[in-house]
Amino acid sequence: MPSNQSTPRLDASPTQNGLTVITTHINADFDALASMLAAQKLYPGALVVFPGSQEKNLRNFFIQSMVYLFNLVEVKDIDLTCVKRLVLVDTRRADRIGKLADLLQNPSLEIHVYDHHPIKKDDIVGHHDIHHITGATVTILTDIIRKKRLSITAEEATIMCLGIYEDTGSFTFSSTTAEDLQAASFLVSKGANIAVISNMIAREISPEQIGLLNDLIQAATRYIINGIEIVVTTVSFDYYLPDFAFLIHKMVRMENINAIFALAMMENKVYVVGRSRIDDVDVGEILSPLGGGGHPSAAAATVKGQTLTQVEQALLTEIHRHVKGLRQARHLMSSPPILVQADISCAQANTLLTRYNINALLVISKIGDNQRLLGFITRQVIEKAIYHDLGHVPVKDYMTTEIASVSPEAELLEVQEKIIGNKQRILPVMEKEKIVGVITRTDLLTVLVQQSQMNGNQSPDPFKHSIQKRTRNVGNFMQERLSARVIETLRAIGLVANDLTYSAYVVGGFVRDLFLYRTNEDIDIVVEGDGISFAKAYAARFGARIHTHKAFGTAVIIFQDGFKIDVATARMEYYRSPAALPDVEMSSIKLDLFRRDFTINTLAIQLNPEKFGQLIDFFSAQKDIKDKTIHVLHNLSFVEDPTRVFRALRFEQRFGFTIGKLTANLIHNAVKMDFFKRLSGRRVFTEIRLILEEENPTPALLRMQDFDLLKVIHQAIDMNNNTIDLLNAVKSAISWHDLLFTEDPYERWTVYFMVLIRTFDVDASQEICRKLEIAPRYENLICQQRLAAQNCLVTLEQKLPVGDADLYHLLHGYRTELILFMIASTRAKAAKKAISKYYNLLRKTQPALGGKDLIEMGLKPGPIFRQILETLLDARLNGQIETREDEIRFVHRWLKDNPNSPTGPSSPD
């Protein structure tokens, strides 16, 4: 610290009029300190003032090492009447700026605010107000400094960067934004010392802190508020503990807590720290009535004049008031409901129960668009009716007509009373006399079991109960991972869906690959509503065109540059028989996802504006992705659609996953029962082709052999060592070809397929192709042309051509796929080298002269043209000629040497 540092005069002399004071909230953290420093750069000559006296840890650090950076004064040394401008950073709450709140009574006071906390209705309103939702307030100020091109020293950059690191949890908190990372990058470029920051942020926990942390853990009480687990812990100290929030952060990570409120009595004040990792608990909103503030994920409050018990009770009241959870009927119900007309027969109703795998049906009468609820009928009643040969009788004759219902806003207790109290298997959810959903006894039982486990202080398995969706917002993650065009397109989809009162979701492989950090811009959209109507509306608004498939309720949106989006109506599939194509009906997103092949493909992200980025997981997809496991959704999955077996093997090898034990057993059973024989050859071939188009199909083919699945191609195919070596050689040959960047199109799957059937003659190969319904153009390539290439390779291996022209004529006409097949098939280095030379250097060789040139030379068109051009090509290939002039001289010489040719130069009369 410079020795000539002096304390500024703060009396009310005329020269002191118009003071600017920069301040922040009581109990300032590093973000608050960093923000005050940054604000000082924007307001030269301003005074920096702590509003309270509890910033001991921060102030000691800065006073001892970097006090010269701050124009720091005590609040008691300021004549408040001289203050004309108040600059607030990292807060806008009057009750959090201590004695400086008295300044707010001055009507002529100019107030400037820089804050990143959510705005509350009773916040201070500034004349100059800069507010952005970022991870740290200093991020906002850093951006202003950068835009104004103000100079900052390395020490200043370090302090400002420290504020960002602390308030974003070193960029691990969900509140972290792209702006925080950009600001940190800028500060590092200005000399911010990461080593200093790391020492401050990642400080080791002391033995004393370990003891306090243990006290906090032992004092923790777990409350179940509307199904949401919230931890509340209390502790008392005789002194102020500046690292209290740091200990809570440690506790959250150690105990894997989703929502916590920690209360500490310190020096006659109660300090409350709230942390939340779930959307259902907004700690900033909960602590606001206690005089606190912050974000939905992190907040704090300081309460004076109350005991620890009083504050705890007030906190619990606010928690109960604000945490609603997902326990209303609208959150528990399945929608749309499956309804039956009163006059359908019991036999028809039984078919519906089996098709949809449910145990009860609501019975209605429908006149026009109006429906009236009449009652319900259960599986037991219907089965008894059929047993007594009453299957033809209408369900209205045996339905239960005494039926209770609830509104979408009904709480769990009301739902429980009506299902259990009325012994009612199915509970309709009614809104304005319309049935909008149903809640079953199974739905209720699942919720009650979860609640029972959590109330018993057991740690619930968040992935166990698939009936309840798990949600979190991944909007920021999408912004980081996806291109600007894709984000813009997804937002536009949500807007159009909103206008139609539909819900729109991006689903399937796109979402799966998002979390696997794999690029995938094949966008699949599911609409709760009419998918085709949505596609038409979207195309009309954005100038695209569509193709529709009414039978499946699907459409493809095609943009002017060829970019495509697949749109589907949320649908439910059922199979009339094993291996049949599915019948399709409109459904909800939940049932739509249930029809999919594997759990990892059941993630959905909502796109409507108010819920954009909300990830929905009904079937533990996130857990299976984390565990790298392939699971089917139900035990009859491979019976309904055996092609899913091939997809399981393909995904397993592509992602490095493992097929779950039950799923593997179900595959073995499907092979044993030979469900594949019911599939059309084309459907089998489509799946095999997709496997062969993988970057490396060999591991998946080996897995096919493990499950005895290669027989679907031919019983004699064997993945022996020779076959494996050849398949690996194909991969190398394809890699070699792709590095040439020839832009010549080819079908990579055919090369692998030709290796698999290389030992079969033409007749057997044709039998395989026709069994798999392979298109004739591929059949010719795989059978006749492949055999010709094998014979050509034998010739090449036995005797290499003497000249390049002979090599050219031997290999000319073979497609790229056959060239790659030959390169992979031969072990003779000389033959491989010769084929490579042909493909790289000779394949596209042509004479410079053409027919027109020969006519201009006085030759008459005829068979001699072909003879001359072929001779020219051979001469060029063998290096006898190089330029166009060489060719002209060569033709004249050739004509002179062949005077009796049928077409020679015309001679003058």
Side-chain angles (χ1 to χ4, degrees):
M1 184 176 71
S3 57
N4 61 350
Q5 181 79 21
S6 61
T7 303
R9 293 177 59 197
L10 302 176
D11 52 66
S13 63
T15 58
Q16 293 290 319
N17 288 335
L19 284 179
T20 295
V21 169
I22 300 171
T23 193
T24 185
H25 54 80
I26 294 171
N27 303 326
D29 53 14
F30 284 135
D31 182 35
L33 254 291
S35 298
M36 288 199 293
L37 176 62
Q40 188 176 271
K41 304 295 292 184
L42 301 178
Y43 299 90
L47 304 178
V48 175
V49 180
F50 283 109
S53 59
Q54 301 298 331
E55 295 83 4
K56 295 176 182 177
N57 183 55
L58 293 169
R59 292 181 66 190
N60 288 342
F61 168 72
F62 285 105
I63 288 171
Q64 292 172 11
S65 61
M66 295 184 180
V67 68
Y68 64 91
L69 297 175
F70 292 80
N71 192 12
L72 191 63
V73 299
E74 297 284 345
V75 65
K76 63 184 176 58
D77 295 328
I78 298 177
D79 183 349
L80 297 184
T81 62
C82 295
V83 178
K84 298 302 181 184
R85 179 191 293 153
L86 178 65
V87 180
L88 297 174
V89 295
D90 203 33
T91 188
R92 54 174 65 242
R93 304 275 303 177
D95 55 358
R96 300 205 69 200
I97 61 174
K99 185 179 178 182
L100 292 175
D102 295 343
L103 291 171
L104 302 176
Q105 305 303 318
N106 181 359
S108 63
L109 180 71
E110 183 180 349
I111 301 173
H112 292 195
V113 180
Y114 300 86
D115 192 28
H116 73 137
H117 295 96
I119 297 174
K120 305 290 185 181
K121 62 181 180 180
D122 55 345
D123 283 345
I124 299 170
V125 178
H127 300 88
H128 177 69
D129 201 316
I130 304 296
H131 174 263
H132 298 295
I133 297 298
T134 55
T137 295
V138 73
T139 294
I140 301 168
L141 291 152
T142 299
D143 187 55
I144 297 172
I145 289 171
R146 180 182 61 81
K147 290 177 178 177
K148 288 180 175 288
R149 298 186 177 181
L150 300 177
S151 63
I152 57 175
T153 65
E155 291 85 357
E156 290 169 336
T158 300
I159 295 171
M160 291 162 65
C161 202
L162 175 61
I164 297 175
Y165 267 75
E166 187 213 45
D167 238 29
T168 63
S170 298
F171 309 109
T172 63
F173 293 167
S174 60
S175 56
T176 305
T177 67
E179 289 80 4
D180 298 303
L181 293 163
Q182 291 165 0
S185 174
F186 168 76
L187 294 170
V188 170
S189 74
K190 294 299 181 181
N193 191 323
I194 298 299
V196 171
I197 294 169
S198 177
N199 289 335
M200 291 300 300
I201 295 296
R203 58 192 184 278
E204 293 183 359
I205 188 168
S206 68
E208 179 188 16
Q209 289 173 329
I210 291 174
L212 295 174
L213 184 59
N214 182 63
D215 291 342
L216 288 165
I217 293 172
Q218 294 300 320
T221 301
R222 296 175 184 268
Y223 294 91
I224 305 300
I225 311 295
N226 292 322
I228 305 297
E229 185 184 60
I230 297 174
V231 174
V232 177
T233 185
T234 59
V235 67
S236 296
F237 306 116
D238 294 329
Y239 54 92
Y240 175 76
L241 179 68
D243 288 325
F244 185 56
F246 165 72
L247 293 180
I248 303 309
H249 177 66
K250 287 284 187 183
M251 182 175 172
V252 166
R253 299 186 68 174
M254 289 172 57
E255 299 293 300
N256 193 26
I257 296 169
N258 282 330
I260 184 172
F261 292 90
L263 299 86
M265 173 65 79
M266 295 187 281
E267 297 183 345
N268 300 319
K269 296 178 185 176
V270 178
Y271 296 83
V272 186
V273 172
R275 295 290 184 267
S276 173
R277 300 194 290 186
I278 53 177
D279 294 337
D280 298 309
V281 182
D282 183 337
V283 294
E285 185 179 51
I286 291 170
L287 292 183
S288 181
L290 275 65
H295 300 279
S297 58
T302 303
V303 182
K304 301 177 183 178
Q306 294 189 39
T307 65
L308 195 61
T309 302
Q310 287 175 313
V311 176
E312 183 180 7
Q313 291 303 312
L315 173 66
L316 289 173
T317 299
E318 294 304 324
I319 292 173
H320 279 279
R321 190 162 68 90
H322 288 96
V323 177
K324 297 301 182 184
L326 302 178
R327 296 312 170 99
Q328 290 184 326
R330 67 169 69 254
H331 301 124
L332 304 176
M333 71 183 187
S334 296
S335 178
I338 298 169
L339 312 172
V340 296
Q341 295 276 10
D343 54 359
I344 75 162
S345 68
C346 288
Q348 291 172 307
N350 191 54
T351 300
L352 292 174
L353 292 170
T354 303
R355 178 188 302 171
Y356 299 125
N357 192 30
I358 54 178
N359 293 309
L361 290 166
L362 294 179
V363 183
I364 64 167
S365 64
K366 190 171 183 180
I367 302 175
D369 292 331
N370 298 321
Q371 58 180 220
R372 186 166 66 91
L373 177 64
L374 300 179
F376 70 97
I377 191 164
T378 65
R379 181 186 292 275
Q380 290 87 341
V381 171
I382 289 174
E383 287 178 347
K384 285 184 179 181
I386 293 173
Y387 177 80
H388 292 289
D389 295 323
L390 298 173
H392 60 284
V393 174
V395 293
K396 64 183 179 182
D397 288 357
Y398 294 101
M399 69 181 180
T400 301
T401 55
E402 296 178 358
I403 181 170
S405 64
V406 292
S407 70
E409 292 72 32
E411 296 290 343
L412 176 62
L413 182 60
E414 182 182 353
V415 172
Q416 179 179 335
E417 288 175 348
K418 290 190 174 178
I419 289 181
I420 297 176
N422 297 329
K423 297 182 180 180
Q424 192 168 309
R425 183 175 290 274
I426 187 170
L427 180 68
V429 181
M430 308 283 291
E431 187 171 33
K432 296 179 180 179
E433 299 185 350
K434 181 180 179 181
I435 306 170
V436 295
V438 294
I439 303 172
T440 66
R441 287 200 309 195
T442 302
D443 296 332
L444 175 62
L445 179 62
T446 299
V447 174
L448 294 178
V449 167
Q450 286 178 320
Q451 181 171 304
S452 174
Q453 288 180 332
M454 296 169 79
N455 280 331
N457 284 330
Q458 300 179 23
S459 298
D461 181 352
F463 299 103
K464 184 176 179 181
H465 303 290
S466 63
I467 197 72
Q468 296 298 320
K469 67 181 179 184
R470 284 160 294 280
T471 65
R472 62 187 175 100
N473 195 284
V474 294
N476 289 338
F477 182 62
M478 294 168 67
Q479 291 281 359
E480 296 169 8
R481 292 281 301 127
L482 302 176
S483 68
R485 178 189 181 165
V486 170
I487 287 291
E488 183 181 343
T489 301
L490 295 178
R491 288 190 181 278
I493 288 168
L495 288 170
V496 174
N498 235 36
D499 290 346
L500 297 172
T501 67
Y502 295 162
S503 292
Y505 306 84
V506 60
V507 300
F510 178 89
V511 185
R512 175 201 67 212
D513 288 350
L514 182 66
F515 290 96
L516 289 173
Y517 290 85
R518 298 171 67 96
T519 301
N520 183 349
E521 293 197 351
D522 294 331
I523 299 177
D524 291 315
I525 301 297
V526 169
V527 176
E528 285 184 324
D530 188 329
I532 293 178
S533 295
F534 164 82
K536 289 178 179 177
Y538 185 93
R541 182 179 299 187
F542 294 98
R545 54 192 177 89
I546 64 169
H547 289 160
T548 62
H549 195 310
K550 290 186 178 179
F552 287 91
T554 61
V556 179
I557 300 173
I558 306 168
F559 292 81
Q560 292 181 358
D561 62 356
F563 186 71
K564 297 179 181 179
I565 296 175
D566 292 317
V567 178
T569 302
R571 63 189 192 265
M572 175 190 301
E573 294 178 350
Y574 65 92
Y575 295 77
R576 294 184 183 275
S577 60
L581 288 171
D583 289 337
V584 177
E585 292 184 3
M586 287 183 65
S587 179
S588 65
I589 186 64
K590 179 178 176 182
L591 292 176
D592 180 273
L593 296 174
F594 183 70
R595 72 179 177 80
R596 295 178 184 270
D597 46 13
F598 309 110
T599 56
I600 61 171
N601 292 328
T602 61
L603 290 173
I605 297 176
Q606 189 155 5
L607 303 178
N608 296 63
E610 70 278 6
K611 293 185 178 180
F612 183 84
Q614 185 177 69
L615 177 70
I616 297 173
D617 180 7
F618 285 107
F619 306 107
S620 304
Q622 294 173 87
K623 181 177 186 295
D624 286 345
I625 288 173
K626 180 181 178 182
D627 294 344
K628 297 186 175 183
T629 307
I630 305 287
H631 285 138
V632 290
L633 275 80
H634 60 87
N635 291 6
L636 295 179
S637 184
F638 297 135
V639 176
E640 294 179 344
D641 185 0
T643 63
R644 290 171 175 166
V645 170
F646 301 104
R647 294 200 287 281
L649 303 180
R650 178 157 52 91
F651 291 150
E652 178 191 46
Q653 298 308 313
R654 179 195 293 177
F655 303 133
F657 282 20
T658 301
I659 293 175
K661 184 176 180 181
L662 173 61
T663 302
N665 289 337
L666 294 172
I667 293 175
H668 283 298
N669 184 66
V671 174
K672 178 182 176 182
M673 301 295 291
D674 199 14
F675 291 131
F676 305 95
K677 68 182 179 182
R678 301 188 178 107
L679 294 169
S680 68
R682 183 168 299 176
R683 291 188 71 196
V684 173
F685 167 66
T686 297
E687 296 300 331
I688 292 172
R689 176 173 176 170
L690 288 171
I691 288 174
L692 297 181
E693 285 178 343
E694 289 288 305
E695 183 177 349
N696 182 16
T698 304
L701 292 171
L702 285 168
R703 290 293 277 157
M704 285 182 67
Q705 178 158 286
D706 291 342
F707 288 103
D708 195 23
L709 274 170
L710 289 173
K711 66 184 180 182
V712 300
I713 303 174
H714 194 280
Q715 195 71 37
I717 291 179
D718 181 24
M719 286 292 289
N720 53 40
N721 290 337
N722 186 39
T723 302
I724 294 171
D725 289 343
L726 286 174
L727 291 169
N728 290 332
V730 170
K731 184 176 183 295
S732 298
I734 288 175
S735 297
W736 164 80
H737 172 270
D738 292 348
L739 287 173
L740 297 176
F741 299 103
T742 64
E743 297 185 0
D744 293 327
Y746 71 100
E747 301 280 355
R748 62 185 291 146
W749 69 268
T750 60
V751 190
Y752 287 107
F753 195 81
M754 287 188 286
V755 165
L756 291 177
I757 65 168
R758 68 193 183 284
T759 60
F760 293 83
D761 60 22
V762 171
D763 291 340
S765 300
Q766 287 179 329
E767 181 183 342
I768 291 172
C769 289
R770 289 165 189 173
K771 171 187 173 184
L772 297 177
E773 300 179 41
I774 295 176
R777 68 180 185 280
Y778 294 130
E779 179 182 324
N780 181 260
L781 170 67
I782 290 166
C783 301
Q784 289 90 345
Q785 293 183 46
R786 185 257 308 169
L787 196 60
Q790 287 177 297
N791 293 332
C792 174
L793 186 58
V794 171
T795 301
L796 192 61
E797 290 174 335
Q798 290 175 348
K799 183 180 180 180
L800 289 174
V802 176
D804 287 347
D806 293 336
L807 177 62
Y808 176 92
H809 291 301
L810 180 65
L811 296 175
H812 183 63
Y814 286 108
R815 291 175 47 161
T816 298
E817 294 89 344
L818 296 167
I819 294 293
L820 295 173
F821 173 70
M822 287 191 279
I823 289 175
S825 298
T826 184
R827 289 196 171 100
K829 291 184 179 179
K832 198 183 293 283
K833 186 176 180 180
I835 299 170
S836 175
K837 181 179 182 181
Y838 160 76
Y839 195 80
N840 280 330
L841 303 177
L842 309 179
R843 177 171 55 109
K844 295 186 177 181
T845 303
Q846 293 292 331
L849 298 181
K852 273 187 174 184
D853 299 301
L854 297 181
I855 292 172
E856 289 176 0
M857 292 173 67
L859 299 178
K860 295 179 181 179
I864 193 67
F865 273 34
R866 178 176 181 180
Q867 186 179 355
I868 292 172
L869 293 174
E870 287 180 349
T871 305
L872 274 176
L873 175 61
D874 287 351
R876 183 175 278 275
L877 286 166
N878 289 328
Q880 297 170 327
I881 56 177
E882 294 180 0
T883 66
R884 178 183 175 87
E885 288 71 22
D886 290 344
E887 290 190 6
I888 293 172
R889 286 192 292 270
F890 183 90
V891 172
H892 283 300
R893 190 166 59 250
W894 186 88
L895 292 171
K896 184 178 179 181
D897 293 341
N898 296 274
N900 298 322
S901 59
T903 304
S906 301
S907 300
D909 293 336

